[in-house]
Structure formats: C-alpha cells, structure tokens
Amino acid sequence: MIKTNQLVKVFRTDEIETTALDKVNLDVQKGEFVAIMGPSGCGKSTLLNIIGLLDNPSSGELHFLDQEVSKYSERQRTNLRKANIGFVFQSFNLIDELTVFENVELPLLYLNIPSSERKKKVEEVLERMKILHRKKHFPQQLSGGQQQRVAISRAVVTNPKLILADEPTGNLDSANGEEVMKLLTELNKEGTSIVMVTHSPSDAEYAHRIVQLFDGHVVTENIKKIL
C-alpha cells in the first residue's frame, strides 16, 4: 500500500537548514497496523504528513496504491487523499461551530455524496461508535473521549483504505485511550490499514509492527504479530 524509497525532507529558512527525514525506507502492506515511535523531533509527524499526502518530500520516492506520488501537485494529492485516507489527531481537530453530525458529514460533502446517502452513512458510523445520541451536540459539549469518537467517525465515514493516527490517545485518560485503541484495532481487523504515531509503548502493543525513528532515520523495526 505504501512504499518509501530514500525519502528525504529538508526544511529551510534564510539562516538554517533542518533535515527532518534522512533517506527513510518504509513499507506498509495492505491491512497492516504499524506504530511509529521515537523521541520528539525525530521526524514522526513529518513522515506521517508525507504519507498522508499533506506534504511532498524534498527527494526520494513515495508510492501509494501503486502510484508514485512524490511530485504530485497539491490538487492531485488532495484528490487522492480525500478518497482514500482518514486522519485521527491528538487534538481531535473538530470544527467547534459544527455539530457532531456536521463534523462527520464534512468529508462526504467534499466527495459530492448526495444528501440522503450522507445522512445514512453518518448515522451508521455514529451508531457504531456509540455517539449517535450526541449527533446534535457541538464538540465543546462533549468529553475528550467522546470528541475522539467523533474524530474517528469522521475518519472512517468514507471507508478509507488507510487511517493515519497522530498520538490518538495523547489527550485522553487511560480508560478512554484504551477504548480508542480497541476501536482502531477493530477497524484494522476489518481490513483498514493503520499507521499510528505514538509515544505510548502500551498503544504501540496494539500494532503488528513497531518502527523506531531517531534523527530522521529508521533505526529498528520490531514485528509484534504475524499478520
């Protein structure tokens, strides 16, 4: 599903040049659950942004769904991303002015899904995530765990092939964090590929494989389970 070859990302200002990723090679197979770990500043989120087609690498190759996409324009990346990738963030990234229903509906609007079909899809996923009873509430009226359920609902409402999760339990207590990890595991068992950035060793234990980054390099890979 994902293959990087000698991936490099350099950030430049007038006075300084920082290499965030340095010749990273990574393969993620269809249906795999991969955790990316490492200290702050090691390049984890940069790698996730490039895999998620939010940014282009400075050099190297990125293959996604058998397409070489490293030099795609922003429009090309957007079109590929919105139909195939869902995102879950530590800070939830919900829109405060929209209800739960409207937040989850948003990706379907971008795909020009008809209204009746949108309603059906949104209500189905909210029911599955046990948050349907809150569909008319606004994010600030929800607990952190409920907000993350809404964020996961939004990520999966388009039935994406890949979910990218950046510290998905970082703002949650242990009980809500465990619940979120169980939800991600269920989605993975149903066939959705997941790449997760985390500092949490307990969260990483849910993954099939742990990739350790350090100073922009892949330093170790640990296979947790046989797929």
Side-chain angles (χ1 to χ4, degrees), residues 127-193:
E127 184 172 16
R128 177 179 180 184
M129 298 295 165
K130 300 176 183 174
I131 198 73
L132 180 60
H133 62 294
R134 297 284 195 173
K135 71 177 183 178
K136 294 183 180 180
H137 287 69
F138 291 91
Q140 296 306 314
Q141 296 174 300
L142 306 178
S143 69
Q146 289 171 331
Q147 288 188 59
Q148 195 61 294
R149 284 175 180 272
V150 176
I152 293 172
S153 299
R154 182 184 58 190
V156 303
V157 72
T158 60
N159 293 316
K161 297 179 176 66
L162 173 67
I163 290 177
L164 299 179
D166 194 352
E167 299 284 1
T169 68
N171 283 338
L172 303 178
D173 60 39
S174 58
N176 279 306
E178 184 178 352
E179 190 63 33
V180 164
M181 291 311 303
K182 287 179 178 177
L183 287 171
L184 291 175
T185 302
E186 281 180 27
L187 293 166
N188 176 247
K189 287 179 178 177
E190 292 169 6
T192 305
S193 305

Side-chain angles (χ1 to χ4, degrees), residues 97-119:
E97 294 76 20
L98 299 182
T99 65
V100 164
F101 184 97
E102 291 165 340
N103 267 282
V104 177
E105 182 186 33
L106 205 55
L108 301 175
L109 287 169
Y110 293 145
L111 293 173
N112 298 315
I113 304 294
S115 175
S116 59
E117 189 177 345
R118 290 200 308 270
K119 184 175 186 295

Side-chain angles (χ1 to χ4, degrees), residues 37-69:
M37 300 189 74
S40 296
C42 71
K44 301 186 301 297
S45 293
T46 300
L47 179 58
L48 206 68
N49 285 341
I50 291 175
I51 290 173
L53 307 177
L54 296 171
D55 197 4
N56 277 342
S58 302
S59 64
E61 296 180 351
L62 171 63
H63 297 262
F64 179 66
L65 297 177
D66 298 322
Q67 301 178 57
E68 210 293 303
V69 301

Side-chain angles (χ1 to χ4, degrees), residues 78-93:
T78 297
N79 288 337
L80 188 58
R81 180 177 68 240
K82 68 184 182 182
N84 294 290
I85 303 175
F87 293 88
V88 180
F89 300 97
Q90 175 178 348
S91 56
F92 318 132
N93 283 18

